[in-house]
């Protein structure tokens, strides 16, 4: 946790302190009242069903400090009163970035931004004290929370920047303005809310408009929409990564049993890096992290050392064992591209048994919903021995897979039916891919498989 005094919030955010000493140091910052302990700051935000103001008396009873709007009354416990608690969080974060001269790396993209975030943070940790967006904290709420919970000695912060609408990434760059901005790729995620791929491109491009005056862009040369953004960026240096051209070239990606080996070409030299994650798609993420490292003064050996020490548990696709079964769990999010990548990992996995793809609905695809699910069904028929499609949208996956390879796919409506099917059809030594959008709750399906223990 950063050392933040009540006085900092009063000075930076024009807050009015009530019942609290200016020199008091915050013990934590949270938006969840159940996490409050003595000395915590509870930020009371409006929610979809309730307002955080509702829980302020509980916060006081637990010894916490409440940040509330001016409209809140009566104030009978330790409080910081501001115009907008959400804006105050952003203002406090930006003020600490500026006064502490913290270097910020901002990352966005339709696929791979969380993986890139973890790899970039690991790269920088070889030399610097690094904070990063935690989990899926990539919003105007999540980024300040992650920042404020970072080490007090932090010198660099890696901010994953998500969006569902135009203007959201622009807002995030006012909170944590990037010294280096990374765009991994641009695809149809959030097409339902943004309406067109061009709007998605505009939304992702906001990270470049938010670059600091001497900031550097790290961009994917393989993606035409990203290239187009780079062609219109005249005031900042650009570092490109790609398979055919760029400042660093992805020469070879080789997947091992529990790791992925990536060979990059950089300034005439070949650099081979082995990360403890699975997936050929990580070649691009490793290349992006490599360029961020060079932009911030690291040498290739320092970059390689950092990347190879990335936490195995932070990769999106996790390899787990349930009895004799191998589970490839990858259900944080799903798009046609990321699901196809996961299917390729399944196909490449050495297995004594069969390869079974359990694929759920992909959400927020808008007009690409039907072709996106059809594309995945076709890919599944070519990469799996058996396909189980789960959910109303996934019916298209089963239809496409069976058209390509008759009888390969089965469709079920929900998790209960999916678990029953797996109990009936799974054999010892099978490899099972679980892939779906987060809203499909495939984590529950994994837990049921774990509790079951697999076939005897």
């Amino acid at each position: 946790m950063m050392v933040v005094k009540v006085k900092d919030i009063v000075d930076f955010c024009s807050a009015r302190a009530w019942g609290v000493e200016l020199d008091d140091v915050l013990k934590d910052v949270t938006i969840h009242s159940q996490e409050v302990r003595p000395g915590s700051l509870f930020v009371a935000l409006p929610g979809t069903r309730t307002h955080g103001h509702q829980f302020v008396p509980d916060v006081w009873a637990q010894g916490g400090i409440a940040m509330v709007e001016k409209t809140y009354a009566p104030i009978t416990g330790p409080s910081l009163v501001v115009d907008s608690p959400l804006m105050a969080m952003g203002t406090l974060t930006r003020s600490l970035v500026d006064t502490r001269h913290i270097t910020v790396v901002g990352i966005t993209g339709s696929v791979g931004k969380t993986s890139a975030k973890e790899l970039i943070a690991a790269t920088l940790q070889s030399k610097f004290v690094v904070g990063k967006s935690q989990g899926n904290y990539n919003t105007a709420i999540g980024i300040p929370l992650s920042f404020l919970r970072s080490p007090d000695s932090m010198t660099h912060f890696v901010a994953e920047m998500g969006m569902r609408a135009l203007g959201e990434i622009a807002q995030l760059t006012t909170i944590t303005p990037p010294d280096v901005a990374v765009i991994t790729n641009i695809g149809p995620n959030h097409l339902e809310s943004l309406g067109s791929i061009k709007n998605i491109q505009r939304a992702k491009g906001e990270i470049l408009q938010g670059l600091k005056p001497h900031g550097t862009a790290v961009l994917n040369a393989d993606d035409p929409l990203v290239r187009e953004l780079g062609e219109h960026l005249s005031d900042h240096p650009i570092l490109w990564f790609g398979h055919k051209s760029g400042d660093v070239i992805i020469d070879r990606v080789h997947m091992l049993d529990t790791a992925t080996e990536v060979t990059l070409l950089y300034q005439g030299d070949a650099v081979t890096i082995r990360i403890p994650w699975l997936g050929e798609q990580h070649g691009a993420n490793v290349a992006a992290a490599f360029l961020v490292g060079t932009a911030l003064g690291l040498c290739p050996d320092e970059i390689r050392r950092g990347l190879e020490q990335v936490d195995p548990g932070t990769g999106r696709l996790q390899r787990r064992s349930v009895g004799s079964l191998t589970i490839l769990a990858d259900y944080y999010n799903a798009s046609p591209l990321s699901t196809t990548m996961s299917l390729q990992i399944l196909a490449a996995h050495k297995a004594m048994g069969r390869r079974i793809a359990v694929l759920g609905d992909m959400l927020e695809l808008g007009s690409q919903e039907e072709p996106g699910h059809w594309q995945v069904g076709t890919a599944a028929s070519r990469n799996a021995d058996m396909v189980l499609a789960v959910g109303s949208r996934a019916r298209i996956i089963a239809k496409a897979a069976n058209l390509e390879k008759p009888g390969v796919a089965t469709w079920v409506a929900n998790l209960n039916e999916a678990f029953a099917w797996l109990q009936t059809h799974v054999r010892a030594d099978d490899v099972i891919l679980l892939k779906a959008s987060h809203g499909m709750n495939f984590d529950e399906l994994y837990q049921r498989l774990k509790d079951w223990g697999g076939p005897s």
Side-chain angles (χ1 to χ4, degrees):
M1 174 72 188
M2 299 191 79
V3 175
V4 178
K5 294 184 177 182
V6 170
K7 183 179 185 298
D8 296 327
I9 301 176
V10 170
D11 292 343
F12 292 141
C13 306
S14 300
R16 179 169 62 87
W18 197 97
V20 60
E21 296 295 328
L22 294 180
D23 285 333
D24 285 351
V25 176
L26 302 181
K27 298 295 190 297
D28 188 21
V29 179
T30 182
I31 60 172
H32 301 295
S33 60
Q34 64 269 29
E35 294 179 355
V36 171
R37 54 192 175 92
S40 296
L41 177 68
F42 170 71
V43 184
L45 300 175
T48 55
R49 298 181 181 176
T50 59
H51 197 294
H53 283 169
Q54 174 181 336
F55 305 102
V56 168
D58 297 332
V59 169
W60 288 333
Q62 292 160 221
I65 304 165
M67 179 183 280
V68 297
E69 297 175 4
K70 289 181 177 179
T71 57
Y72 183 82
I75 295 176
T76 60
S79 301
L80 292 167
V81 183
V82 295
D83 290 333
S84 164
L86 177 60
M87 291 183 63
M89 289 176 68
T91 300
L92 175 62
T93 299
R94 174 60 185 268
S95 300
L96 291 170
V97 168
D98 291 345
T99 57
R100 296 189 177 207
H101 307 290
I102 291 172
T103 299
V104 174
V105 179
I107 306 158
T108 194
S110 296
V111 176
K113 58 182 176 290
T114 299
S115 297
K117 173 201 70 180
E118 296 293 341
L119 291 169
I120 289 167
T123 297
L124 300 179
Q125 282 169 347
S126 68
K127 189 171 184 178
F128 307 114
V129 179
V130 181
K132 63 184 179 182
S133 301
Q134 297 297 318
N136 61 344
Y137 276 17
N138 59 12
T139 66
I141 299 172
I143 288 177
L145 284 174
S146 296
F147 181 90
L148 294 170
R149 288 173 169 176
S150 297
D152 188 59
S153 57
M154 174 175 64
T155 59
H156 291 65
F157 183 71
V158 184
E160 178 183 336
M161 298 185 175
M163 62 84 200
R164 292 179 181 272
L166 290 165
E168 290 186 353
I169 289 179
Q171 179 190 7
L172 298 180
T173 64
T174 67
I175 297 171
T176 47
D179 297 88
V180 181
V182 181
I183 303 180
T184 60
N185 47 56
I186 297 173
N189 298 40
H190 307 305
L191 194 59
E192 191 171 42
S193 58
L194 282 159
S196 71
I197 195 71
K198 276 297 181 183
N199 278 342
I200 295 173
Q201 182 191 38
R202 285 174 57 200
K204 298 298 185 185
E206 290 170 3
I207 196 171
L208 302 180
Q209 306 310 312
L211 269 168
K212 288 182 182 176
H214 301 291
T216 300
V218 173
L219 303 179
N220 184 350
D222 293 341
D223 189 310
L225 292 172
V226 177
R227 282 204 312 271
E228 186 177 346
L229 288 174
E231 289 165 0
H232 292 89
L233 187 67
S234 58
D235 298 333
H236 297 273
I238 302 175
L239 297 174
W240 295 97
F241 62 92
H243 286 82
K244 294 182 178 179
S245 65
D247 296 278
V248 66
I249 295 174
I250 306 155
D251 182 55
R252 182 175 179 268
V253 182
H254 178 57
M255 201 158 51
L256 308 171
D257 285 345
T258 59
T260 301
E261 195 172 78
V262 181
T263 299
L264 304 176
L265 302 182
Y266 176 68
Q267 295 185 347
D269 293 325
V271 182
T272 298
I273 299 162
R274 181 179 294 187
I275 62 170
W277 294 356
L278 294 174
E280 292 186 3
Q281 72 273 19
H282 294 311
N285 295 327
V286 167
F290 189 96
L291 287 178
V292 171
T294 64
L296 296 178
L298 299 182
C299 71
D301 283 343
E302 290 171 325
I303 295 169
R304 180 176 57 234
R305 184 168 67 249
L307 283 168
E308 292 187 341
Q309 292 176 353
V310 68
D311 183 351
T314 57
R316 277 291 172 81
L317 188 147
Q318 297 289 307
R319 185 179 183 274
R320 300 165 179 170
S321 296
V322 173
S324 66
L325 302 176
T326 298
I327 309 293
L328 304 178
D330 185 10
Y331 38 69
Y332 172 76
N333 214 335
S335 67
L337 178 58
S338 68
T339 304
T340 300
M341 290 175 175
S342 295
L343 286 165
Q344 291 169 351
I345 296 172
L346 175 66
H349 203 284
K350 295 178 181 178
M352 294 176 62
R354 300 161 302 172
R355 297 171 178 85
I356 301 173
V358 183
L359 307 175
D361 290 353
M362 297 179 291
L363 307 179
E364 298 186 56
L365 295 184
S367 63
Q368 294 300 302
E369 181 173 290
E370 183 171 345
H373 285 84
W374 192 274
Q375 173 189 336
V376 163
T378 302
S381 70
R382 298 170 182 172
N383 289 282
D385 301 308
M386 302 175 74
V387 179
L388 179 64
V390 185
S392 58
R393 298 169 179 84
R395 189 189 292 267
I396 301 171
I397 293 176
K399 185 177 180 179
N402 283 329
L403 185 65
E404 188 80 13
K405 187 189 294 184
V408 72
T410 300
W411 175 80
V412 295
N414 53 51
L415 294 184
N416 289 334
E417 294 179 14
F419 179 58
W421 186 94
L422 288 167
Q423 282 187 303
T424 302
H425 292 85
V426 165
R427 301 174 189 163
D429 299 319
D430 284 347
V431 179
I432 303 172
L433 169 67
L434 302 180
K435 179 69 175 177
S437 284
H438 186 65
M440 291 298 292
N441 299 316
F442 265 34
D443 53 334
E444 295 181 14
L445 183 56
Y446 168 73
Q447 188 60 47
R448 292 190 193 185
L449 288 170
K450 182 179 178 182
D451 293 342
W452 170 46
S456 56

